[in-house]
Amino acid sequence: MADLKLLGRDDILAAKDLETEIVEVPEWGGAVKVRGLAGWERDGFEASIMSTDGKNTKMDLRNMRAKLVALTVVDASGKRLFRGDADVKELGRKSAAALQRVFEVAQRLSGLSDEDMEELAKNSDAGQSEGSIFA
């Protein structure tokens, strides 16, 4: 433990900690660059698949894969390729196999384990969420 550097505020804020990975998507004719979510983006994604009406919390899994893909697919400079809810709907019309392949990488890079998803689903029913994931 003596060899560990104690980080300060500036060290943490300057850290380049969002990993990226290139994913081949033959169904789309090439590859995409996937970036892990920042903390605020993950919170927004999780909120977008949950809704609360008083004391009942419901989980809406409709288009969940497209939502995460839209948040994590970036261009060479790191800017998101997809910008709004209309893009999410269009992505949802693409190959389920292709979306799943990209989703799994986005999920891993963002620290969204299957256990995290199960925890979100715990004590919730399938419901509808109308919130946007794009800030």
Side-chain angles (χ1 to χ4, degrees), residues 11-85:
D11 298 317
I12 295 166
L13 295 179
K16 303 293 184 207
D17 59 354
L18 296 178
E19 294 182 57
T20 61
E21 188 172 315
I22 303 298
V23 180
E24 289 187 53
V25 189
E27 298 88 344
W28 297 344
V32 295
K33 184 176 183 179
V34 179
R35 174 186 54 78
L37 293 174
W40 70 271
E41 290 171 317
R42 178 177 167 168
D43 292 344
F45 169 72
E46 290 176 349
S48 79
I49 61 173
M50 304 299 292
S51 66
T52 304
D53 61 354
K55 62 182 176 178
N56 297 318
T57 299
K58 298 180 181 184
M59 190 167 189
D60 181 5
L61 299 179
R62 289 176 290 166
N63 235 6
M64 176 186 71
R65 284 164 184 75
K67 287 178 181 180
L68 187 60
V69 169
L71 286 170
T72 58
V73 172
V74 297
D75 65 16
S77 67
K79 289 182 69 173
R80 275 196 237 147
L81 293 182
F82 303 102
R83 291 291 174 187
D85 295 331

